[in-house]
Amino acid sequence: MLAPTVQNNVLIDRYGRRVDYIRLSITDRCDFRCVYCRSEDMSFLPRDEVLSLEECARLVKIFVSLGVGKVRITGGEPLVRKNALWLFEEIGQLPGLRELVVTTNGSQLEQYAQALRDAGVKRINISLDSLHAERFRKITRVGDLDKVLRGLAAARQAGFENIKLNTVLMRGFNDDETINLVDFAIAQNIDISFIEEMPLGEVDHTRNSTFISNDTTLKLLQQHHTLIPSTESTGGPARYWRIPHTNTRVGFISPHSHNFCESCNRIRITCKGELYLCLGQEDKVDLMPLLREFPYDDAPLIEAILGSMQIKPKGHDFDLRRAEPAVVRFMSVTGG
Ligand code: SAM
C-alpha cells in the first residue's frame, strides 16, 4: 500500500486522491424531521459535546492551511445554530478559501440570506422534496413549504452566484413531482440535483421500498426535456446535464447507480469533531480531544489530519438488499 503524502502542505490519500473539500456539520439539531433522514424522536447532543463556533473556525483555518479550498457548512440545520452567522463571517474571507457554501433546508433563509451573501457565501443548496404544502409537511414531518419558498426568494434576491435545489426522490412519496420540480427550477433560473436515497441510519420504511435510481429519473426527464450531458462540475459528486435555452442544470448524485468514489475529494467533520473519511464507512479520527487538550498548539491536530489520509477508504459500500443500514449514523449526524 502506498504511503500517504503531504506535498506542499496538501492532503493526498493512499490512493492518490487529493482532498480539498470539507463538509462541516455545525449542529446535530434540525427544525425538520425528514422521513428518510432521521427518526421522529431523536435526542440531541448536550452542548459541551458539540464543537464551539470558535473550535469550528479553528478547524476550518487549519484545513485551509492544508490546501482545502472548498468548505460546506451543513448540519442538522446549520442556520438554527445560535450565532451561526459569526462563523460564516469569521471564515468567509480566509485567504486560500475558494468557496464557502452552505446546505440548508431554507427555513431560516428569509432572515439570513443577505447576511450569508455579505459574509462571503458563494453558493447555496436548498433541500426541497415537494411543492405540495401538505406533502412537504408529510416528508419533513413538520416543515412549512411557504416559509422555505420565501427563503428561496430571499436567496435569489441576495444574488448568490448559484442556487441549487437538492431533492431526494422516494417512490410513493414524491416521485410523481420529478417534472414539476425541474420546471420549477427552470422558472426560478436555478439548478436542481436529484440525490438517491442512501441507507444511513434506521428509518420507518425499508430503503428498498422507496428507492428510485437516478437512471430512471433521467429517462423520465428525457421524455419532457432535452438534456445535454455536461462535463461541468461544482467540485462535488453530482453529474450535470444542461437544459438548452434555460439557465438550469440538472444534477444527479447517484451513490448507488454511479459510484463516484474514485474521484472523491471530500471528508466530513461532525459537530462532535469526528473526522469521517467516507460518508458510507466508519473510519474516523476524533479531533475534539486534540482541540481541547491543545487550545494554542495546532501541531497535534495537523498531525492527526495528515495521518487520517492513511485510513480514507477506497469507497462506500451501499447495498439496499441488506436489511440493516450501511452505517448506523443518520445523515443529520455526519452532515449532508
Ligand atoms: N438541514 C440541511 C438540509 O436540509 O439541507 C442540511 C443537512 S441535510 C442532512 C443535507 C442533505 O442530506 C439534504 O439535502 C437531505 O435531503 C440529504 N439527506 C439526508 N438523509 C439522506 C439520505 N438518507 N439519503 C440521501 N440524502 C439524504
Side-chain angles (χ1 to χ4, degrees), residues 30 36-37 74-78 103-105 127 166 168 195-198 207 331-332 336:
C30 187
Y36 51 79
C37 184
T74 179
E77 172 47 43
T103 300
T104 172
N105 64 25
S127 302
N166 274 342
V168 177
I195 310 174
E196 287 177 346
E197 187 182 354
M198 291 177 259
R207 304 282 188 180
M331 185 78 146
S332 59

Side-chain angles (χ1 to χ4, degrees), residues 36-85:
Y36 51 79
C37 184
R38 56 168 66 208
S39 57
E40 190 160 9
D41 302 308
M42 274 185 72
S43 52
F44 297 110
L45 291 167
R47 205 188 163 82
D48 63 339
E49 286 181 31
V50 174
L51 294 172
S52 68
L53 291 174
E54 289 77 9
E55 287 167 334
C56 291
R58 182 176 170 206
L59 279 180
V60 169
K61 285 174 193 168
I62 291 174
F63 276 102
V64 170
S65 78
L66 293 171
V68 165
K70 178 171 173 182
V71 174
R72 177 174 303 282
I73 303 295
T74 179
E77 172 47 43
L79 301 181
V80 298
R81 171 119 192 215
K82 206 168 157 215
N83 291 334
L85 202 54

Side-chain angles (χ1 to χ4, degrees), residues 70-240:
K70 178 171 173 182
V71 174
R72 177 174 303 282
I73 303 295
T74 179
E77 172 47 43
L79 301 181
V80 298
R81 171 119 192 215
K82 206 168 157 215
N83 291 334
L85 202 54
W86 175 87
L87 177 67
F88 288 95
E89 286 165 351
E90 186 69 14
I91 59 180
Q93 310 299 334
L94 277 181
L97 180 61
R98 272 182 291 107
E99 265 198 307
L100 176 59
V101 295
V102 61
T103 300
T104 172
N105 64 25
S107 68
Q108 311 299 312
L109 271 182
E110 196 176 11
Q111 184 183 352
Y112 291 121
Q114 188 62 55
L116 288 170
R117 184 73 189 105
D118 295 344
V121 174
K122 294 225 169 77
R123 297 192 291 117
I124 196 154
N125 287 357
I126 303 175
S127 302
L128 183 70
D129 297 324
S130 176
L131 290 166
H132 298 300
E134 211 174 295
R135 189 184 277 183
F136 184 83
R137 183 169 297 262
K138 189 173 161 207
I139 294 174
T140 58
R141 291 196 178 107
V142 287
D144 175 356
L145 175 65
D146 244 16
K147 202 171 171 197
V148 172
L149 294 180
R150 290 200 303 273
L152 168 61
R156 291 185 62 205
Q157 180 78 26
F160 287 94
E161 282 173 21
N162 189 266
I163 300 174
K164 183 174 71 143
L165 300 178
N166 274 342
T167 301
V168 177
L169 286 179
M170 299 171 73
R171 190 177 305 286
F173 278 82
N174 61 347
D175 52 326
D176 56 344
E177 287 192 62
T178 312
I179 309 293
N180 278 356
L181 282 158
V182 169
D183 289 344
F184 176 75
I186 292 172
Q188 297 280 318
N189 274 317
I190 60 179
D191 292 337
I192 181 165
S193 278
F194 292 101
I195 310 174
E196 287 177 346
E197 187 182 354
M198 291 177 259
L200 304 171
E202 193 105 33
V203 290
D204 291 346
H205 58 274
T206 56
R207 304 282 188 180
N208 217 359
S209 64
T210 48
F211 180 72
I212 299 177
S213 154
N214 269 340
D215 286 340
T216 307
T217 303
L218 174 61
K219 280 197 193 107
L220 175 70
L221 281 174
Q222 281 171 325
Q223 291 168 20
H224 293 79
H225 289 290
T226 305
L227 290 168
I228 314 270
S230 159
T231 51
E232 290 162 279
S233 163
T234 53
R239 297 185 316 152
Y240 284 99

